[in-house]
């Protein structure tokens, strides 16, 4: 059995209160959770309804299933969705970095040594989706071994989250029709409108059409994926000041530091940082630099461990957060709701948890369901995910 790495099992304080039996049990947990292998399996599932936005479009979910195997026969599972147009990761790069770098760094370590594993993975600055998937698979394994859900391990706040649906690029009336379908079928009443095309001939018109169609029955906010200049953002937000938008997300290029600061100062609604705030350090820079008022937390890029660091950072600063979507499939969405529902601060706003509805199929034996505008958390143990092995065999592209 592997010893605990830097935990309290051997510490003097613990020795007074633990019996030999307790100590054996804790060594067993750590030993059962020793990482013995990691699999990175590429799979491709077409979208029934592709999603287009200012920085790209997704027609096929070219994701990677990450499975962490432990000495006790537990398999932790998560999904990495590469976003080449945003972070430069691809299906191939995720597999290469997991197999070539991360596996060696953590095989032989107990999944309980979460800080040691975090420190090793974060020697590498980039590769967010690869690191996040490993992190979440490890939490899944820990939850399974302990017989509790990950959402309880993380915080145990609630049992589900209100859902916000992302409306991809289309003509104004088609986007209204899509929102209507989401309301009628799933009870969703919060929508993130993708903007970042032509602000004054199309984007503002889309937002106005949605507000006119639904009056005050829906919550609306916009996400530009860096598509507008700061000057256009200022003017467009002024033109939409009467639309009662909740937020404006990442409207301008991430590098335009002064422009984004000016736009944040003049925006009539809070500005969310998404692509510009992907690490705790970037969150600090954006918030203290005055380039954002709120933060999008995406478990697909910061897993559970770093997402919790960012969440606590925001909470301490009195900054709002939204659970974002990296165009996740059902496994990724289950991870987002697991984290979002676990905490009070992430549960205040609707989470972006419905993109999987646009996929033609998925890998879970028991699909996620949204009803009454709410996605429930899986009750575990772990993440409570069972992969349909026939579907995985069908959609994997490595054999
Ligand atoms: C979003 O919030 O920007 C689009 C690209 C990506 O990485 O996530 C989505 C949604
Ligand atoms: Mg965004």
């Amino acid at each position: 059995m592997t010893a605990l790495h830097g935990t309290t099992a051997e510490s003097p304080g613990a020795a007074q209160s633990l019996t030999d039996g307790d100590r054996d049990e804790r060594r067993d947990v750590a030993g059962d959770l020793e990482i013995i292998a990691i699999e990175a399996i590429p799979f491709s599932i077409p979208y029934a309804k592709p999603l287009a936005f200012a920085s790209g479009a997704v027609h096929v979910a070219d994701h990677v299933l990450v499975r962490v195997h432990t000495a006790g026969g537990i398999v932790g599972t998560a999904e990495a969705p590469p976003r080449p147009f945003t972070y430069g990761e691809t299906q191939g790069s995720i597999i290469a970095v997991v197999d070539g770098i991360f596996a060696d760094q953590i095989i032989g370590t107990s999944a309980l040594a979460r800080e040691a594993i975090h420190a090793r993975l974060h020697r590498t600055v980039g590769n967010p989706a690869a690191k996040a998937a490993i992190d979440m698979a490890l939490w899944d394994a820990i939850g399974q071994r302990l017989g509790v859900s990950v959402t309880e391990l993380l915080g145990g706040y609630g049992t589900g989250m209100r859902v916000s649906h992302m409306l991809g690029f289309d003509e104004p009336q088609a986007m209204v029709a899509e929102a209507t379908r989401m309301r009628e079928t799933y009870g969703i009443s919060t929508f993130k409108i993708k903007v970042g095309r032509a602000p004054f001939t199309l984007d503002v018109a889309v937002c106005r059409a949605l507000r006119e169609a639904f009056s005050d029955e829906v919550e609306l906010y916009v996400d530009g994926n860096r598509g507008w200049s700061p000057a256009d953002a200022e003017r467009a937000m002024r033109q939409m000041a009467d639309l009662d938008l909740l937020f404006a997300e990442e409207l301008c290029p991430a590098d335009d530091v002064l422009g984004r600061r000016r736009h944040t100062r003049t925006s009539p609604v809070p500005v969310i940082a998404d692509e510009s705030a992907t690490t705790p350090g970037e969150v600090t820079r954006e918030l203290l630099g005055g380039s954002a008022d709120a933060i999008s937390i995406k478990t697909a890029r910061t897993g559970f461990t770093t997402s919790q660091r960012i969440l606590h950072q925001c909470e301490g600063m009195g900054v709002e957060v939204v659970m974002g979507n990296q165009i996740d499939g059902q496994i990724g969405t289950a991870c987002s709701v697991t984290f979002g529902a676990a905490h009070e601060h992430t549960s205040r706003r609707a989470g972006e948890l419905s993109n999987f509805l646009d996929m033609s199929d998925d890998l879970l034996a028991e699909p996620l369901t949204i009803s009454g505008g709410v996605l429930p958390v899986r009750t575990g143990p772990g993440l409570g995910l069972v992969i349909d092995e026939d579907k995985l065999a069908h959609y994997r592209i490595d054999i």
Side-chain angles (χ1 to χ4, degrees), residues 192 194 223 225 249-250 274-275 298:
K192 171 155 114 172
K194 286 295 190 185
D223 182 2
N225 290 110
E249 179 171 318
E250 207 72 60
D274 176 9
E275 298 97 308
K298 295 185 175 177

